[in-house]
Amino acid sequence: MTLTIPALRARGAARRRPRRPLGLVLAAAFLSLVVLTAVLAPVLAPHSPEATDLLNSLAPPGTEGHWLGTDSTGRDVLSRLMHGARLSLLAPLGVVLLSGVLGTAVGLLAARAGGWVDAVLTRAMDIVFAFPSLLLAMLVVAVFGPGLAAPVCALAVAYTPFLGRVVRSMALQEGARPYMESYRVMGFGEWWVTLRHLLPNVAPVILAQGTLSFGYALVDLASLSYLGLGVRPPEADWGSMISQAQSAILQGQPWSGLIPGIAVLLTVVSVNVLGEHLSGSIARRQGETR
Amino acid sequence: MTEPEPVPEPVPGPVLEVASLVKRFGTFTAVDDVGFTLMPGASLGIVGESGSGKTTTARVLAGLEEPTSGTVTLAGETVTGRSRRDRLRRARLLQMIFQDPYGSFDPRQTIAESVAEPLRLHAPGSRKQHRARAAELLDQVGLSRRAGQSPPRDLSGGQRQRAAIARALAVRPRVLVLDEAVAALDVSIQAQILTLLEELRAGTGIAYVFVSHDLGVVRHITDEVLVMRHGRVVERGATEHVLRTPRHPYTRLLLDSIPSPDWDLDRVARDRVARDRRALDLADRQATPAPKGETTC
């Protein structure tokens, strides 16, 4: 008996927690690494990200003292990458949080108010949806000048319909379930029921959708920086690093541009793997409970 | 709280009065001139096929639908309007049990939390007091403490319906509207729930409006019955009397349709023909210009 119990327990535990897919583990590990280096950049970076060394410009990766080489003004690519990670992660996070709040509010309002409110909000979302997000951001930058605040706000507005539509349809589905009516019969108001019972049941979907839009925001913001509309030098994010490496790429020295490009690519892929996993597990759980 | 709890003071009059209730959806009339009164502690059945308007009637009573015309009077006060005060007053007097006991609960809350939820709105007191009262209510309907700690998905259909009853009783209503409340349960569980409802009625003096298509269940739990068809009341009276000696051909058809040892399909068919040919359609034509198609809701 004493022998079988641990064996049974081990088998039970194994069944309850299935092995996580390798891709997910790698993605999570890579993201943790990126976040960690971003947070600890001042401590970990071997050089100042802004220290130029013209004698040592465009060193290839593997050069002593500059593991990932230097850029056209001799700045250490690794240090710039680490410092750049901060803006490259914070700015998309701002976009996700802002568009998360906006999209949730718009989606819930449309679904619960119905009628003309729903019609107006849905049409408005369609219009924003049809407008290219980068173009919107460029227009806003043209009006308010470069810097991060304007593009972050513009992208947040541009991303609102993605989440707003999902939240609206989920809220409609959840709002049709009988427990919503049972709370109404108890005398609770519409908005109380919406915030206390409907929103928590929709929240996992918001989380998954937010994770996915983080990847898009990162790419869009990098593109803006690449176009010179985002971060202003000497501050650096990954997009502006690629932009500044253009001339070097034409000279046959692609490294200083390729490395931040790879950083963007890997981060976005990891975030998307995580987001897909989240929405997948939510779909499974909802399948179980319904 | 300064206000004393609304103890069911012995009102001489009826606890629920419904007068010439009409509910239209567009051009379709779901409920057509329905009226009845319910005394404290009484039990009224509303029977009919699906689409007969019985569920819409229940939803109007609970305030989930606004009546097109007609009045609902609870304990002497007409309840209309959707303001917070009106909602609360109606909720304290009348509660409703739904057919789907699983869907009636927030899947994220435990049963005890769900039962305590209406107390937050209607009963003054601390969370601790609310928890204690929820435990008391669960005990009253025969649910264990352990069932109270579970999410709704871990409970059986019968347990969930018990929990729904506990939650409805939390505000001490005078009227409980049960919409097909046992239709989704196994027959043996149905009997347990019906017995529980009988006990509660004897113990608290609560009145029931029992909406069902199941005449066997209605015979068991109600004193009086309304038979509805096409939104109208076609027969009413003491349950035993109506079910034993149905006067209306439609009631006879409903009775014949119950499967039983001496079930005679030919008789069902004969009654259906008789109903269609004569009495009802004649009555229909006299009352209104030809009803538009048999739309069900």
Side-chain angles (χ1 to χ4, degrees):
Chain A
M1 205 54 188
T2 43
L3 279 177
T4 56
I5 286 169
L8 278 176
R9 194 180 295 153
R11 215 189 303 155
R15 195 159 9 115
R16 233 176 299 128
R17 205 188 303 158
R19 270 175 82 116
R20 304 203 181 283
L22 182 67
L24 183 69
V25 175
L26 286 178
F30 181 75
L31 283 180
S32 323
L33 182 77
V34 172
V35 171
L36 211 67
T37 45
V39 171
L40 298 176
V43 184
L44 292 178
H47 299 273
S48 158
E50 281 144 35
T52 52
D53 180 4
L54 287 171
L55 293 176
N56 226 343
S57 69
L58 290 176
T63 311
E64 210 180 327
H66 302 288
W67 284 4
L68 293 179
T70 57
D71 67 4
S72 51
T73 49
R75 292 175 296 196
D76 182 50
V77 171
L78 179 63
S79 305
R80 285 179 68 73
L81 199 65
M82 287 170 129
H83 281 271
R86 305 181 125 193
L87 281 180
S88 288
L89 293 181
L90 272 183
L93 190 68
V95 172
V96 167
L97 291 181
L98 264 178
S99 72
V101 171
L102 274 174
T104 306
V106 170
L108 283 182
L109 192 64
R112 299 299 287 166
W116 66 268
V117 178
D118 185 23
V120 168
L121 287 177
T122 309
R123 286 305 140 253
M125 283 199 281
D126 286 345
I127 292 167
V128 177
F129 196 68
F131 211 84
S133 54
L134 268 183
L135 191 59
L136 185 69
M138 284 164 72
L139 286 175
V140 171
V141 173
V143 174
F144 293 99
L148 269 180
V152 164
C153 292
L155 285 181
V157 171
Y159 285 4
T160 296
F162 285 98
L163 188 64
R165 285 175 158 191
V166 175
V167 170
R168 179 180 169 272
S169 71
M170 287 301 297
L172 283 176
Q173 193 189 327
E174 198 69 23
R177 302 189 65 202
Y179 75 86
M180 303 295 291
E181 289 202 325
S182 67
Y183 284 113
R184 271 173 69 192
V185 175
M186 281 176 227
F188 288 109
E190 287 293 304
W191 292 107
W192 195 90
V193 176
T194 302
L195 294 180
R196 186 169 155 80
H197 294 285
L198 196 146
L199 185 58
N201 279 298
V202 175
V205 181
I206 299 176
L207 185 70
Q209 187 69 26
T211 313
L212 288 178
S213 60
F214 182 90
Y216 295 121
L218 203 160
V219 171
D220 277 356
L221 283 165
S223 312
L224 282 174
S225 289
Y226 172 79
L227 294 171
L229 299 173
V231 180
R232 272 176 299 184
E235 269 192 303
D237 72 349
W238 296 343
S240 61
M241 286 174 71
I242 301 173
S243 162
Q244 285 157 19
Q246 271 185 102
S247 54
I249 293 172
L250 293 178
Q251 288 163 28
Q253 301 284 346
W255 290 111
S256 57
L258 209 54
I259 286 164
I262 291 170
V264 170
L265 179 79
L266 286 180
T267 309
V268 171
V269 168
S270 304
V271 168
N272 282 354
V273 167
L274 211 66
E276 291 289 344
H277 176 78
L278 275 179
S279 30
S281 61
I282 289 161
R284 269 200 304 283
R285 210 172 56 204
Q286 286 187 335
E288 269 170 29
T289 55
R290 262 149 223 214
Chain B
M1 185 103 158
T2 50
E3 217 174 288
E5 202 159 306
V7 180
E9 71 274 18
V11 189
V15 69
L16 172 66
E17 272 181 282
V18 176
S20 44
L21 197 70
V22 176
K23 176 67 189 176
R24 286 197 196 90
F25 297 102
T27 58
F28 173 68
T29 306
V31 177
D32 192 358
D33 196 21
V34 168
F36 57 85
T37 57
L38 190 68
M39 298 303 284
S43 177
L44 173 81
I46 301 182
V47 299
E49 297 172 321
S50 52
S52 60
K54 57 191 191 322
T55 290
T56 307
T57 305
R59 290 174 58 84
V60 170
L61 293 182
L64 290 170
E65 306 279 0
E66 286 289 304
T68 310
S69 66
T71 55
V72 177
T73 310
L74 275 166
E77 285 182 277
T78 308
V79 288
T80 43
R82 305 206 45 79
S83 76
R84 181 180 158 82
R85 218 180 125 261
D86 293 333
R87 279 199 323 257
L88 292 184
R89 208 181 46 180
R90 183 193 287 252
R92 273 191 207 136
L93 289 167
L94 182 143
Q95 279 296 310
M96 183 165 173
I97 304 279
F98 294 86
Q99 173 170 8
D100 172 9
Y102 177 51
S104 310
F105 288 95
D106 183 340
R108 292 170 50 86
Q109 288 185 313
T110 67
I111 290 297
E113 282 166 359
S114 284
V115 171
E117 196 82 0
L119 297 171
R120 294 159 57 101
L121 189 64
H122 291 281
S126 65
R127 298 191 81 139
K128 202 173 159 192
Q129 285 171 308
H130 289 167
R131 266 205 298 274
R133 172 86 175 117
E136 200 181 292
L137 284 161
L138 288 172
D139 188 54
Q140 197 181 354
V141 298
L143 280 179
S144 66
R145 192 162 284 267
R146 187 154 162 234
Q149 301 310 316
S150 313
R153 66 170 170 277
D154 288 353
L155 262 55
S156 69
Q159 285 176 311
R160 285 173 195 154
Q161 206 55 294
R162 282 172 190 271
I165 292 168
R167 185 174 59 174
L169 293 179
V171 299
R172 296 200 172 91
R174 310 269 316 266
V175 179
L176 193 58
V177 177
L178 300 108
D179 182 15
E180 300 279 7
V182 296
L185 304 176
D186 291 345
V187 176
S188 59
I189 308 295
Q190 275 188 5
Q192 290 176 14
I193 299 290
L194 293 175
T195 310
L196 171 69
L197 288 170
E198 258 327 302
E199 286 168 13
L200 289 171
R201 181 155 75 115
T204 63
I206 194 170
Y208 294 145
V209 176
F210 203 96
V211 174
S212 180
H213 67 276
D214 189 335
L215 294 176
V217 167
V218 166
R219 169 173 271 158
H220 189 96
I221 191 99
T222 67
D223 320 322
E224 279 186 82
V225 68
L226 302 183
V227 183
M228 284 185 72
R229 179 170 189 263
H230 290 335
R232 239 175 290 142
V233 177
V234 293
E235 184 159 9
R236 67 172 77 209
T239 307
E240 266 315 311
H241 184 71
V242 169
L243 297 189
R244 192 167 306 139
T245 53
R247 286 200 318 274
H248 198 280
Y250 178 63
T251 315
R252 206 168 300 141
L253 176 68
L254 283 180
L255 279 166
D256 289 344
S257 307
I258 303 171
S260 62
D262 56 345
W263 196 24
D264 185 352
L265 280 174
D266 289 338
R267 202 176 65 215
V268 176
R270 266 203 313 279
D271 280 344
R272 187 173 282 277
V273 169
R275 179 208 67 176
D276 289 348
R277 284 253 174 81
R278 294 174 294 128
L280 257 183
D281 289 5
L282 228 154
D284 279 351
R285 230 170 286 139
Q286 279 168 352
T288 49
K292 276 194 180 170
E294 194 141 334
T295 328
T296 55
C297 39

